[in-house]
Amino acid sequence: MQIKRIFSNQPSIIRRAMPWITLFSVFPAIIVVNLLFLKYFPSPNAPRSDALQWTDGLNPAHIQPQSLYIYNTRDTNQLFGNFYYTLGTQLAARGQISSAETMLAKAAKLTPSNPYVHMNYGIVLEALQKSEEALSQYQEALKYAPKLVQAHYSIGLLQDKLGRIDAGVASLKKALEITPDNNFINYDLGVLYAKKGDYPNSAIYSQKAFEGQGSDFAEAYNNYGYALAQMGRYSEALEAVERSLTLKPDSAATLDSKGFALYGLGRYEEALTAYNEALKIDPTIGEVYLHLGQTQEKLKKYEQAVKSYETYLQLTPDASDKSQVQAKIAEVRKKWIANPPSSSKSLK
């Protein structure tokens, strides 16, 4: 009878034993995980010089671990929320993205006021190509940490990726208000302004980027040079892109900028060489073919110009200037027919 009575009161017994079960099983395990994690990963508040050097997809350096709040064992949501968060960030850093998403989703439900949970959850969602959900998580992070520069920065780049350039510029400017001397934010603002066709502002922010970073910011010099070329300042542009090429000689984008500056200076053969070098490095950049076609047309290499324009449209089927390029192809075809090459071989 005594045994039966004990088992009949099993819920009450288990309820009373839960604190001890937590203390001697779950709690030590969480402490061990936390200590190991703190050993191998930095605190989120530690200075991170590379914190904004982000690329598409998941980079383990983006993940920002955080110490577990294990001192309040009565707050089980906090306890297990931070456990899922720690586990999720560790999985993400190891490239196990789907599993990381599951853990961080649980952490976000249990500890909704932790901005780092939402920040890292957004990074993982973005890596899984769930852009709108990622955007929502970044915005959620800002509710609890309005000056979390990584969230503003991530929103800016993601808005750009989604084709919302104006919104992207606005978010990057908010990030820059928090860290006005951040060279990478300045650089990306320069890139976005170039996409808007606002080349004066593109040049301003690109210049701030390489002046702040030092003499080794090749991409910023290139963006600056391209903006200057678009503004008709070809000699200054060529100087900037040459500086970029000394730092990064195998950049197809910079060779394209060099060709563009040379074209503006009327040095068409040299521009042709620059474009061909760019295509040897990366034959998939549509804009290079557009510039190549323009240069070939100037050199009266009409057959090659038509092929270059057609390749441009093949690589960028949704180009905003599609109808203009199609009209240009028809125009150059007429010149080609009226001025056939002197030999049966195609001019190169």
Side-chain angles (χ1 to χ4, degrees):
M1 290 294 292
Q2 185 69 20
I3 294 174
K4 185 175 181 181
R5 189 179 300 113
I6 291 172
F7 279 94
S8 66
N9 293 327
Q10 188 176 12
S12 177
I13 292 170
I14 292 175
R15 197 158 44 243
R16 290 175 183 175
M18 275 304 294
W20 297 101
I21 294 172
T22 302
L23 181 64
F24 291 110
S25 59
V26 178
F27 189 60
I30 292 176
I31 292 175
V32 171
V33 171
N34 188 41
L35 292 175
L36 288 173
F37 211 69
L38 289 175
K39 179 179 178 181
Y40 293 107
F41 294 93
S43 165
N45 297 320
R48 296 176 62 86
S49 60
D50 65 335
L52 296 180
Q53 298 184 52
W54 297 0
T55 55
D56 291 339
L58 183 74
N59 183 329
H62 304 179
I63 299 299
Q64 302 203 15
Q66 187 177 31
S67 299
L68 294 179
Y69 298 117
I70 58 177
Y71 48 80
N72 185 359
T73 55
R74 291 180 182 276
D75 188 348
T76 54
N77 280 353
Q78 185 74 61
L79 182 69
F80 288 103
N82 279 282
F83 174 73
Y84 285 126
Y85 173 47
T86 303
L87 184 57
T89 55
Q90 188 177 36
L91 289 167
R94 293 182 178 183
Q96 299 177 39
I97 312 303
S98 296
S99 299
E101 180 193 13
T102 302
M103 295 298 105
L104 290 171
K106 291 180 179 179
K109 288 181 180 178
L110 292 168
T111 55
S113 62
N114 186 335
Y116 291 101
V117 171
H118 297 294
M119 183 69 224
N120 288 336
Y121 189 18
I123 291 170
V124 168
L125 288 167
E126 193 172 348
L128 291 169
Q129 307 298 316
K130 298 180 179 181
S131 299
E132 294 294 347
E133 293 176 57
L135 191 62
S136 177
Q137 288 302 315
Y138 295 144
Q139 291 167 340
E140 197 70 19
L142 289 174
K143 287 182 182 179
Y144 303 101
K147 292 189 176 183
L148 185 58
V149 65
Q150 292 90 345
H152 288 294
Y153 186 78
S154 293
I155 289 172
L157 296 186
L158 186 52
Q159 294 281 29
D160 171 40
K161 194 185 297 183
L162 292 169
R164 306 163 190 166
I165 298 177
D166 288 331
V169 167
S171 292
L172 290 184
K173 280 191 168 182
K174 288 179 182 177
L176 202 60
E177 288 174 7
I178 302 166
T179 56
D181 297 325
N182 189 289
N183 307 313
F184 299 101
I185 299 176
N186 277 311
Y187 166 72
D188 283 299
L189 260 175
V191 172
L192 263 62
Y193 272 118
K195 289 183 179 181
K196 281 170 58 70
D198 185 346
Y199 297 108
N201 268 321
S202 178
I204 289 169
Y205 286 102
S206 299
Q207 186 174 15
K208 286 182 180 179
F210 67 71
E211 285 180 347
Q213 177 71 10
S215 60
D216 62 343
F217 204 161
E219 293 81 3
Y221 277 109
N222 172 46
N223 203 56
Y224 178 63
Y226 185 74
L228 291 176
Q230 290 285 358
M231 294 161 64
R233 296 162 59 179
Y234 300 114
S235 296
E236 295 171 80
L238 185 58
E239 183 180 343
V241 297
E242 289 284 16
R243 179 67 177 272
S244 180
L245 286 168
T246 60
L247 297 168
K248 195 173 180 180
D250 58 347
S251 169
T254 308
L255 285 164
D256 178 49
S257 297
K258 180 181 178 179
F260 193 79
L262 289 166
Y263 177 90
L265 291 168
R267 295 159 62 176
Y268 302 125
E269 291 288 356
E270 292 174 76
L272 198 67
T273 300
Y275 293 136
N276 284 324
E277 287 177 5
L279 292 174
K280 285 179 184 177
I281 296 168
D282 188 349
T284 66
I285 305 177
E287 193 173 26
V288 180
Y289 285 98
L290 176 64
H291 296 156
L292 179 63
Q294 292 167 343
T295 307
Q296 289 165 332
E297 188 181 351
K298 283 286 186 181
L299 292 169
K300 298 183 179 181
K301 299 181 178 183
Y302 301 123
E303 180 181 358
Q304 287 71 36
V306 167
K307 291 178 181 177
S308 295
Y309 288 139
E310 288 176 339
T311 305
Y312 166 69
L313 292 178
Q314 288 171 5
L315 292 172
T316 55
D318 298 322
S320 59
D321 59 351
K322 183 176 181 178
S323 59
Q324 294 96 310
V325 176
Q326 288 173 331
K328 174 62 71 174
I329 289 172
E331 177 188 330
V332 177
R333 280 188 185 280
K334 293 178 180 178
K335 293 180 181 178
W336 175 14
I337 294 169
N339 300 276
S342 56
S343 69
S344 58
K345 293 183 178 181
S346 298
L347 296 174
K348 295 183 180 179

